[in-house]
Amino acid sequence: MASDQENSQDANAPDDTSEKEITRGITIMKSIIRDRDKAVTYNVNWNADNQLIGSNAAKLASYIGTLVRMHIPITATRWSNKELGSAKDKIWTEILRSFNIEDTTIRKKYILQLAGKRHRGWRTFLTNKYLKDKENFFVEYDPEYPVKYAIFITEEEWVAFVAQRRDENFKKVSATNRERASNPTYAYKKGRLGYARLEEKILDETKSDATSLPPHVLWKEARVGKDGTVRDDVQHIYDECETLSQSISTAEDQENRSVLSRALNVPEYPGRVRGKGHGCTPTSLYKNPRRRNPSNQEVMETLQALQAQVLQLQKDNERYRCMEKCSSQLKETSEKASINCQNKFPEGISSCQLYLSSPTYRLVGKGKVHNTSGDLLHHRSLPDGHLKVSVDVVLDKDALLPIPDIVSETTLLRDAIGSFVAWPLDLIFIDDETPTKPASKDKGILRHNESVASQKEVFAQGSQQLSQKIGSRQKNKRDLPVTYLPKKGAFVPRYQISLETLVDSSDMATAGAIRLLDMEEDIFGYSCTETIGKEDLEHIFRHQELGVGVIHTYIRFLYDNFMRGNDQLSNRFRFVSSSLVNKALICREPDSCREYLVKRFMASSTNNLYLWPYNSGCHWLLLAIDPLKEVVYFLNSIDGEWTNYPDMKQLVDTSIKVFRSQRQARVPRTKSSNITWIKVQCPLQRNGIDCGYFVMRFMREIINMNQIEIPITYFDEYKCAHYTRLQLEQIKEELCQYFIEKRLISI
């Protein structure tokens, strides 16, 4: 009987591990203690994302583990427990005695977070070694006290720790975590190296000038085995990240989910960046802290300001209606037939655009102006300074008629479609005219001296377009508006403010909302739909890096306002889609990129300049390609060389050669392999986010100059060292005005 019990007990007893016991001693980092006593300290390095790297990084990490085992009890279940505050401070003090680290909040936070990881790892090690069997299940017998770690753990702490780990709730959590970690979909294959030191290793081996790598690049490299092979599913995720990175900017990654999280279709947890390792947070990576939610007081102040604006608009509207009422009571014109036949308009019926000047100067509709001698409106003579127009299209549904129709009792423009109304002469523009708003009498127009062109351009507040002549070369030039206050004031982005108000009042205020903008075949050589998200608009409002959707929208704006209906410009300038040809696609599908470029070049029989905004992955630059002359103009706002983009250059050169072959052009043997690349000395940016705005202004100025050849020193009319913020705001104003006029955002 006793023998059976003994056998039973022997069967349940743990395996004899006396011969399997780890022979190495306990890690207490004696060398650091000895050096500390000799006043020797160690230097540590940090990367661009504030992560620990360098030769002493592993030594510091191990020392942190030793300090944690010495000062933090294993029964501490929550690292954030305030009772551990004094122990944490002691750990930090000990580290400062041996390592040269700045005594700053950000460094202390990083070290203590790393200490928290070491503490969790220490508790997990004890659990797996002493409380679980070989199959990783909790044992039923009472585990022995680990005498080896007696300097760190008391017997009372051990008993309490075992009780904690045998709690049923903890066992359920442990089982769930074990199942999740047992078979990872994309296994990490770099052991204890860590993302930060892996990044350091890659940058050292490649001798790159970069300070950091994108998260998805590190994620892929961390899953490359010793044989150097990459699994197909890992490569697929990487390729998808490369594609997404062309259309999703850094600011969007911060506010929602990173490119890597989107490709993996997993959530992004707060306070960390997937694929970058411990210590890298959205704030440290994007250098742009999250915006806090406004307080109740700020919301009320904003609401009061909006109410004041609405009240002022109502007063202005009432005053405007009174003025128009007075105008309708002016004495009628002479009975002579020639009185109401205005010389500035062609006689007869002409298509026209209809504008209003209050409360803002804007295009409200389209129709036909009837400039006929002795013409009457509803059997009455027209008021002074007015002509009869028929309304065909309404662009502003809330626009009021300049003079209400007494016969039909119509006051809104939308109710006058198909009928005749009186319209002020100075607010009617024939379709081939460029409407301008008369300058105010106080001549309060701000000018700046950044370039010759800026001294010649005169922008009127809220105007739709400006036409200007600078010599015979600029006879057909058209320029576009920007809004200014009088001299004593400052620039006010009125269209940006209006658009932002519309966005906040529409469904676009919610994350994920989009608008679709049709792109005609003439723009990129194929018809498509461009997607504009709330994030794209936020980038404009906050002056952040731009995505391809905004760049393409501006191209549509240039096409509509410069080239549509102008055969000279539309036959001279064409565009290349950044969605079909970019860095990711050039690397992955070079043949399709080449086919698109060649097909685009074959679409013309005369000299054309193809404007191609090229995204290198983190930077916008502009290529202006003349395929017939085999000349490529390279405009880079950071003063880089085209040799820095070998894949892009090879694609362009190959496409031009294929184009040459398909049109059976004869080229001198001396030039058969030489395609002319010209680096244009264009204005340069002074920060890391303006490249997209520079590219848009480059395209506008090239089309505005109406020249196929771009001077090496850039156009004299626009020559300057740097664009000012005001010159970039002009581009943003045009974009915002275009969004409003296209009614892409409506309440």
Side-chain angles (χ1 to χ4, degrees), residues 13-58:
D15 295 338
D16 183 11
T17 59
S18 58
E19 296 181 358
K20 301 178 182 180
E21 191 71 29
I22 299 175
T23 57
R24 57 173 287 182
I26 302 173
T27 303
I28 58 176
M29 307 299 289
K30 292 181 180 179
S31 61
I32 295 180
I33 305 300
R34 287 194 296 266
D35 287 340
R36 184 191 66 190
D37 295 339
K38 298 176 184 178
V40 176
T41 57
Y42 303 92
N43 293 323
V44 294
N45 300 320
W46 306 84
N47 64 12
D49 299 321
N50 287 321
Q51 294 174 296
L52 189 63
I53 58 172
S55 58
N56 291 322

Side-chain angles (χ1 to χ4, degrees), residues 216 238-250 252-253 259 530 536 546-552 578-588 612-620:
H216 65 277
Y238 174 80
D239 293 340
E240 187 172 350
C241 289
E242 285 289 293
T243 302
L244 287 173
S245 64
Q246 304 300 318
S247 58
I248 302 177
S249 68
T250 303
E252 185 178 355
D253 291 352
V259 166
E530 193 62 55
D536 295 313
L546 300 179
V548 66
V550 175
I551 302 294
H552 279 185
S578 301
S579 297
L580 291 189
V581 192
N582 52 54
K583 180 181 178 180
L585 290 175
I586 291 175
C587 296
R588 190 169 69 250
W612 174 20
Y614 174 70
N615 192 323
S616 65
C618 57
H619 174 64
W620 286 100

Side-chain angles (χ1 to χ4, degrees), residues 171-427:
K171 287 184 177 181
K172 292 180 181 178
V173 173
S174 177
T176 301
N177 292 338
R178 182 175 65 251
E179 182 180 358
R180 183 178 60 183
S182 60
N183 187 25
T185 306
Y186 309 99
Y188 181 88
K189 297 186 177 182
K190 296 302 178 182
R192 300 178 62 186
L193 187 61
Y195 282 108
R197 284 187 285 170
L198 173 62
E199 181 180 58
E200 180 188 19
K201 179 181 178 182
I202 295 173
L203 294 177
D204 288 343
E205 291 176 350
T206 59
K207 298 181 180 180
S208 173
D209 294 332
T211 57
S212 64
L213 297 174
H216 65 277
V217 175
L218 275 178
W219 181 87
K220 173 189 172 183
E221 292 298 327
R223 282 147 186 85
V224 176
K226 293 182 179 180
D227 57 355
T229 59
V230 182
R231 284 170 38 186
D232 292 340
D233 53 350
V234 172
Q235 184 65 43
H236 173 73
I237 294 297
Y238 174 80
D239 293 340
E240 187 172 350
C241 289
E242 285 289 293
T243 302
L244 287 173
S245 64
Q246 304 300 318
S247 58
I248 302 177
S249 68
T250 303
E252 185 178 355
D253 291 352
Q254 175 196 356
E255 294 183 4
N256 296 299
R257 289 192 299 164
S258 67
V259 166
L260 180 57
S261 296
R262 292 169 185 267
L264 292 171
N265 194 25
V266 293
E268 187 73 276
Y269 297 105
R272 81 170 202 187
V273 178
R274 187 180 297 275
K276 292 295 282 186
H278 168 72
C280 184
T281 64
T283 300
S284 64
L285 179 64
Y286 304 115
K287 308 299 187 294
N288 186 19
R290 295 179 180 271
R291 293 179 296 166
R292 65 176 181 85
N293 293 328
S295 62
N296 292 337
Q297 181 179 357
E298 291 172 336
V299 172
M300 292 304 299
E301 290 175 353
T302 303
L303 180 60
Q304 292 174 1
L306 290 175
Q307 290 175 341
Q309 292 179 15
V310 171
L311 182 61
Q312 184 62 40
L313 287 175
Q314 291 174 343
K315 292 180 179 179
D316 292 343
N317 187 43
E318 186 65 26
R319 183 168 60 253
Y320 169 71
R321 293 178 65 85
C322 291
M323 291 172 60
E324 295 299 337
K325 184 176 181 180
C326 294
S327 175
S328 65
Q329 295 175 352
L330 295 173
K331 67 177 184 178
E332 296 182 349
T333 57
S334 170
E335 296 293 331
K336 295 181 180 180
S338 61
I339 284 296
N340 61 341
C341 185
Q342 303 295 327
N343 294 330
K344 66 171 285 190
F345 296 97
E347 288 192 51
I349 302 174
S350 306
S351 297
C352 65
Q353 300 175 0
L354 306 176
Y355 281 72
L356 286 178
S357 59
S358 179
T360 59
Y361 193 88
R362 66 201 189 281
L363 175 66
V364 296
K366 295 184 178 182
K368 296 179 178 62
V369 58
H370 297 251
N371 189 27
T372 308
S373 299
D375 206 357
L376 302 176
L377 178 65
H378 304 311
H379 308 290
R380 296 187 180 186
S381 297
L382 289 162
D384 281 339
H386 290 69
L387 278 179
K388 184 171 77 171
V389 300
S390 57
V391 182
D392 297 330
V393 178
V394 174
L395 301 178
D396 187 344
K397 64 180 181 180
D398 298 322
L400 297 170
L401 289 173
I403 299 180
D405 190 342
I406 301 176
V407 176
S408 61
E409 297 182 352
T410 301
T411 59
L412 295 174
L413 179 62
R414 66 170 182 258
D415 297 329
I417 295 179
S419 61
F420 295 95
V421 295
W423 209 273
L425 293 173
D426 59 340
L427 297 177

Side-chain angles (χ1 to χ4, degrees), residues 481-678:
V482 79
T483 307
Y484 288 89
L485 283 179
K487 288 183 178 179
K488 294 182 180 180
F491 169 74
V492 176
R494 297 192 185 280
Y495 288 110
Q496 294 181 54
I497 295 173
S498 299
L499 182 60
E500 191 167 4
T501 302
L502 281 174
V503 169
D504 291 339
S505 303
S506 69
D507 64 314
M508 289 290 285
T510 60
I514 62 171
R515 290 292 187 272
L516 302 179
L517 178 64
D518 292 332
M519 307 294 285
E520 302 175 20
E521 184 177 355
D522 290 342
I523 300 177
F524 292 131
Y526 68 100
S527 59
C528 60
T529 301
E530 193 62 55
T531 301
I532 306 298
K534 180 197 174 187
E535 295 80 6
D536 295 313
L537 300 176
E538 288 289 336
H539 298 163
I540 300 173
F541 301 150
R542 308 291 174 251
H543 198 84
Q544 296 172 340
E545 296 176 359
L546 300 179
V548 66
V550 175
I551 302 294
H552 279 185
T553 301
Y554 192 76
I555 287 176
R556 171 66 191 271
F557 159 79
L558 292 174
Y559 180 81
D560 285 346
N561 289 274
F562 282 79
M563 301 165 63
R564 188 185 298 279
N566 189 324
D567 294 338
Q568 185 183 35
L569 291 177
S570 60
N571 290 331
R572 180 166 289 184
F573 299 100
R574 296 172 186 265
F575 301 99
V576 173
S577 171
S578 301
S579 297
L580 291 189
V581 192
N582 52 54
K583 180 181 178 180
L585 290 175
I586 291 175
C587 296
R588 190 169 69 250
E589 303 176 14
D591 293 340
S592 64
C593 294
R594 184 180 64 254
E595 290 174 4
Y596 169 69
L597 282 181
V598 174
K599 182 179 179 182
R600 198 78 182 103
F601 295 159
M602 292 293 293
S604 60
S605 58
T606 59
N607 280 98
N608 293 113
L609 197 64
Y610 287 83
L611 303 179
W612 174 20
Y614 174 70
N615 192 323
S616 65
C618 57
H619 174 64
W620 286 100
L621 55 87
L622 180 67
L623 297 179
I625 307 172
D626 186 341
L628 283 178
K629 292 185 178 180
E630 299 188 354
V631 176
V632 182
Y633 299 97
F634 181 79
L635 292 86
N636 191 351
S637 58
I638 60 173
D639 198 26
E641 302 291 338
W642 60 73
T643 53
N644 296 333
Y645 310 94
D647 295 334
M648 174 269 292
K649 184 179 185 301
Q650 182 180 1
L651 173 70
V652 174
D653 289 345
T654 304
S655 300
I656 292 178
K657 291 177 183 178
V658 174
F659 169 66
R660 177 201 302 165
S661 174
Q662 291 191 6
R663 65 186 180 91
Q664 299 179 349
R666 294 183 178 181
V667 179
R669 182 175 299 176
T670 57
K671 193 187 176 183
S672 60
S673 61
N674 295 328
I675 295 171
T676 304
W677 283 72
I678 299 175

